[in-house]
Amino acid sequence: MIDLHSHSTFSDGSLTPEALARKAAEIGLTAMALTDHDCTSGVPRFMAACASHGIEGIPGVEISADVKKGTLHVLGYLIEVGHESLESVLVRIRQGREIRNREILDKLQRLGMSLSWEDVASLADEEVVGRPHFAQALKAKGYVKSKEDAFERYLAKGKPAYADRFRLSPQDSIAALHAAGGLAVLAHPFTLDADRKGLREIVAGLKEAGLDGVEAYYSEHSPEQTQQYVAVARDLDLVAVGGSDFHGDANPAIRLGRGFGSLNVPDDVVTELRRRWRRKRGERAR
Ligand SMILES: [Zn+2]
Ligand SMILES: [Zn+2]
């Protein structure tokens, strides 16, 4: 049993890298990847912990890319951790949310509203501050009738207090992962919200940009979806990989290695992933 998609306390998971590796050993995983959101800082600790348990650790990351419809995440595997160009891009993505929040606040203040950062942050509690908290603060101050009203008048895309957040395009995400010597894989294709034909077109387009694989096996994929994504990968000569997207107690319904219970990522996925990685490295060296 293997699992190539998991999150630690370095992004939004509840287990440390060491606790993740320990859990993997307990349930008998032979290979596992850590793929924290926009962050590789947990990988060195994860790799060391995997080695101590005799598990094949795979360094990874998950980048949230900019896309018009749905959600597009790109998984990076076998990346060189600490690689300068990748790290600088990840830092920029992480700072993007903060910068965006400051811009929204600034715009609201310039529109004449008396609103402080504390007014908004106090509503977020432990959560990461986002637009819903601004909406709540505007309502609390009596500037809008409801949260929906706040979005309609100020916060929605195209409205006077809207600010965009920095994200890489899918193509640039792939390039950043390649620059760090890794492979780029389209995560959980179902979140693209595309029909069969549309999905194939998107994946074919990403392959043009160098995509190496598709995450076909995933906790939330139905057997039909898994079949469809495996077929797309095969047709386009991409590697079909998979994982649970384990977050620990942050999403307790999903189990490491088994997802909702029936996830079963074939062991030879790792062999194929490494084979492609070696081939690419050879091509780059020439
Ligand atoms: Zn994701
Ligand atoms: Zn994930």
Side-chain angles (χ1 to χ4, degrees):
M1 185 163 57
I2 65 167
D3 193 330
L4 302 185
H5 192 155
S6 70
H7 296 274
S8 77
T9 44
F10 281 83
S11 64
D12 52 350
S14 65
L15 298 185
T16 62
E18 289 80 12
L20 263 180
R22 197 177 323 123
K23 197 172 184 68
E26 274 164 25
I27 64 168
L29 289 188
T30 54
M32 182 183 175
L34 178 64
T35 54
D36 277 320
H37 293 287
D38 310 312
C39 177
T40 61
S41 308
V43 170
R45 280 170 53 182
F46 172 74
M47 295 299 285
C50 281
S52 77
H53 290 289
I55 295 165
E56 181 180 357
I58 294 164
V61 67
E62 181 172 24
I63 297 180
S64 311
D66 193 22
V67 70
K68 281 188 202 74
K69 189 176 156 230
T71 298
L72 196 158
H73 291 171
V74 183
L75 292 159
Y77 291 115
L78 301 167
I79 44 163
E80 189 189 312
V81 171
H83 189 279
E84 213 178 310
S85 65
L86 177 61
E87 285 311 312
S88 69
V89 151
L90 296 178
V91 167
R92 212 171 146 202
I93 295 172
R94 292 201 296 273
Q95 288 171 344
R97 193 182 277 271
E98 245 173 81
I99 293 168
R100 174 202 212 184
N101 284 338
R102 279 205 295 272
E103 274 177 44
I104 294 175
L105 184 66
D106 199 47
K107 286 184 173 177
L108 288 171
Q109 287 171 340
R110 270 187 278 159
L111 286 164
M113 279 170 252
S114 119
L115 199 71
S116 70
W117 177 247
E118 288 67 42
D119 292 332
V120 182
S122 63
L123 295 167
D125 203 12
E126 297 276 277
E127 295 167 41
V128 180
V129 175
R131 285 186 295 167
H133 305 112
F134 281 97
Q136 223 178 317
L138 288 175
K139 182 170 178 278
K141 292 253 171 177
Y143 290 121
V144 294
K145 292 191 290 285
S146 63
K147 283 173 83 168
E148 291 71 33
D149 191 27
F151 272 88
E152 255 164 57
R153 287 168 63 189
Y154 301 109
L155 299 169
K157 198 165 189 166
K159 303 297 172 179
Y162 177 80
D164 227 343
R165 138 176 194 218
F166 173 75
R167 278 198 180 97
L168 289 184
S169 68
Q171 290 76 13
D172 287 346
S173 306
I174 294 169
L177 294 166
H178 285 169
L183 296 180
V185 169
L186 174 67
H188 40 65
F190 83 102
T191 61
L192 288 172
D193 234 350
D195 61 18
R196 213 167 254 275
K197 187 163 165 277
L199 181 103
R200 207 199 137 91
E201 277 165 18
I202 294 169
V203 179
L206 293 175
K207 190 192 161 157
E208 293 284 307
L211 188 76
D212 302 287
V214 171
E215 187 178 43
Y217 311 91
Y218 186 75
S219 299
E220 289 181 61
H221 288 168
S222 67
E224 292 72 30
Q225 283 172 321
T226 301
Q227 234 172 42
Q228 182 198 339
Y229 304 145
V230 167
V232 169
R234 194 182 45 224
D235 288 355
L236 295 171
D237 186 30
L238 298 167
V239 57
V241 307
S244 64
D245 212 352
F246 181 72
H247 281 75
D249 290 339
N251 187 357
I254 290 177
R255 279 155 46 206
L256 188 63
R258 284 284 175 244
F260 290 115
S262 59
L263 182 70
N264 188 8
V265 187
D267 289 358
D268 59 9
V269 161
V270 177
T271 320
E272 177 59 16
L273 197 66
R274 287 206 180 269
R275 195 183 67 76
R276 284 180 184 249
W277 180 74
R278 277 195 305 271
R279 193 177 70 192
K280 269 210 138 142
R281 200 177 46 168
E283 282 167 11
R284 269 196 295 262
R286 275 202 295 279

